[in-house]
């Protein structure tokens, strides 16, 4: 289930942001003590930010936002999909299910909107998820000391 963040998610957000496994391809984890001090009681809410809830507990986060500052011209200004899941939720299909639901929300809100996704090409799990979601490669580029993969998902075309 996708929902807005609630106070009960604070601990899971801290776990997600402090996890070395989650942040292997995201520049490294943030210090837990820093997160404990800075994380608000209710994590920020904004359109396109979803908690992925499984049986009443947060297992991940999905972000859909406008890529206004993206360094790649092919992505600039488009909707950008980001996701993070706790390691205990990896490999169980929750990423595909949750991202599909978020992309459906976006399609209902902004019909015809193309979506981009950037991940390190070395992140095999994220690359596999991007393919399952229908993203196709636009380009590869070097950034943050690693090869990055930029994919795009074209809007669904209504069938006749």
């Amino acid at each position: 289930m996708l929902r807005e963040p609630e106070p009960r998610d604070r601990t899971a957000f801290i776990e997600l942001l402090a996890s070395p496994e989650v942040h292997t391809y995201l520049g490294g984890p943030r210090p837990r003590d820093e997160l404990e001090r800075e994380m608000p009681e209710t994590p920020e809410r904004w359109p396109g930010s979803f908690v992925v809830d499984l049986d009443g507990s947060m297992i991940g986060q999905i972000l859909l936002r406008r890529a206004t500052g993206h360094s790649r011209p092919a992505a600039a200004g488009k909707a950008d999909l980001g996701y993070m899941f706790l390691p205990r939720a990896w490999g169980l299909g929750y990423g595909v299910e949750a991202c599909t639901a978020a992309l459906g929300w976006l399609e209902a809100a902004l019909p015809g909107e193309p979506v981009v996704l950037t991940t390190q090409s070395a992140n095999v799990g994220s690359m596999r998820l991007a393919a399952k979601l229908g993203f196709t490669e636009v380009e590869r580029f070097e950034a943050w000391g690693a090869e990055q993969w930029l994919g795009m998902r074209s809007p669904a075309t209504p069938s006749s």
Side-chain angles (χ1 to χ4, degrees):
M1 178 173 83
L2 300 181
R3 60 173 173 77
E4 289 187 331
E6 299 174 356
R8 64 185 166 131
D9 301 319
R10 186 178 187 275
T11 301
F13 267 108
I14 290 170
E15 183 182 348
L16 190 66
L17 296 172
S19 169
E21 296 86 6
V22 172
H23 288 273
T24 299
Y25 302 103
L26 297 172
R30 291 191 46 203
R32 185 174 292 276
D33 61 335
E34 178 183 295
L35 290 165
E36 291 282 356
R37 281 192 314 274
E38 295 176 4
M39 180 72 61
E41 189 60 37
T42 300
E44 290 185 57
R45 298 176 177 183
W46 64 88
S49 173
F50 302 98
V51 162
V52 181
D53 183 302
L54 177 65
D55 298 329
S57 295
M58 178 180 162
I59 61 166
Q61 178 186 31
I62 294 177
L63 297 170
L64 276 165
R65 58 189 168 223
R66 186 74 51 205
T68 54
H70 205 289
S71 65
R72 309 312 293 179
K78 293 185 176 59
D80 184 29
L81 174 67
Y83 43 81
M84 293 186 292
F85 288 86
L86 292 167
R88 67 178 173 266
W90 292 357
L92 301 172
Y94 300 127
V96 172
E97 184 178 347
C99 288
T100 298
L103 290 166
W105 169 85
L106 180 69
E107 180 62 26
L110 299 170
E113 182 74 21
V115 182
V116 295
L117 180 156
T118 305
T119 188
Q120 280 191 22
S121 58
N123 188 343
V124 175
S126 188
M127 293 287 293
R128 194 173 14 242
L129 177 56
K132 287 179 182 178
L133 294 170
F135 285 84
T136 57
E137 184 172 325
V138 172
E139 68 176 307
R140 292 181 188 227
F141 60 97
E142 187 75 20
W144 306 289
E147 183 183 69
Q148 306 295 316
W149 182 90
L150 173 65
M152 186 176 302
R153 183 176 185 263
S154 295
T157 54
S159 53
S160 305

